[in-house]
Amino acid sequence: HPNTIKVYDFGAEADGTLYIAMEYVDGRSLDKVIEGEGPLSPSRVVAILKQVCGALDEAHGLGVVHRDLKPENIVLGERLGNPDFVKVLDFGIAARSESASAQREQKLTQQGMVLGTPPYMSPEQFTGQELDRRSDVYSLGIIAYEMLTCRLPFNANTPWQWATEHMTAQPFPMDQVPTGAGVPRSMRDAVMRALSKDPNERPGSAGAFVSELEQGLDGL
């Protein structure tokens, strides 16, 4: 997919050093963009996430769940006059469903280890459940919330506090955030659906989520 980072080679040196050779991306990670520019406009959020979701839908179609979606792993560069051309990076802890690595991760989680970045992890990632594309949709919901408001929907300090927030707490209402109040209600509702604790209540795919956001632009 044009919005997925390209990996050209990987291997090990004679001394055991492991390496991955990837394409060079000249741009800024999304977290730096948010930090430097503040909340992004709803139309820009949709334009960026459409590209992210295109990359994810292809991966999901191949049975691959990213598992570590966060603004640091989304880089914006310029291509063909588009200053927000997306590259999705770091599928480093991705695993195919039903794979041996997925089974190992479940065992690690049961032993008290978590793989991912706690502020952006889905509730089921903390419990060792089998993950599917809807786990990535939850992470997308957090990213969309942060892009629109310049803050996270939950607040915690340690991985286990984050786990408690994701599994039991409700997101801070977006309309109570100064910039969030200006986001069309249907877009806010789409983000909140993506942040549902129950995966069955979330949009069924990344593409479905961004379609809901795009429809919300009609409220501008």
Side-chain angles (χ1 to χ4, degrees), residues 7-178:
V7 177
Y8 298 120
D9 197 9
F10 65 93
E13 298 286 357
D15 64 357
T17 301
L18 304 177
Y19 67 85
I20 300 175
M22 299 187 294
E23 68 173 310
Y24 174 72
V25 179
D26 185 9
R28 292 187 297 163
S29 57
L30 182 57
D31 63 307
K32 297 299 183 185
V33 172
I34 297 171
E35 180 183 336
E37 302 181 22
L40 309 185
S41 69
S43 58
R44 189 180 181 193
V45 168
V46 169
I48 292 171
L49 289 183
K50 281 183 73 172
Q51 299 174 77
V52 174
C53 291
L56 290 176
D57 276 343
E58 182 186 63
H60 293 160
L62 297 171
V64 176
V65 182
H66 190 290
R67 301 171 185 234
D68 196 23
L69 285 172
K70 54 186 176 182
E72 290 92 329
N73 287 339
I74 299 170
V75 172
L76 308 181
E78 184 168 353
R79 181 179 293 187
L80 300 176
N82 177 9
D84 286 335
F85 188 86
V86 166
K87 285 289 184 177
V88 179
L89 281 61
D90 202 358
F91 284 75
I93 61 170
R96 294 181 62 88
S97 57
E98 304 300 331
S99 69
S101 57
Q103 294 170 9
R104 284 196 300 271
E105 180 178 332
Q106 183 177 20
K107 187 176 295 184
L108 285 172
T109 305
Q110 292 168 349
Q111 293 171 351
M113 298 175 63
V114 295
L115 299 178
T117 305
Y120 299 91
M121 288 169 60
S122 67
E124 56 268 29
Q125 273 183 281
F126 290 99
T127 61
Q129 298 179 39
E130 182 179 336
L131 303 182
D132 60 26
R133 64 185 67 195
R134 295 170 299 178
S135 177
D136 281 346
V137 169
Y138 183 91
S139 300
L140 283 171
I142 295 177
I143 293 170
Y145 188 109
E146 187 175 7
M147 293 170 76
L148 291 165
T149 66
C150 208
R151 60 157 288 170
L152 292 168
F154 304 103
N155 187 31
N157 294 313
T158 69
W160 303 116
Q161 287 176 348
W162 282 113
T164 300
E165 289 288 307
H166 286 300
M167 291 191 290
T168 65
Q170 292 303 310
F172 189 82
M174 190 181 292
D175 59 357
Q176 294 184 24
V177 182

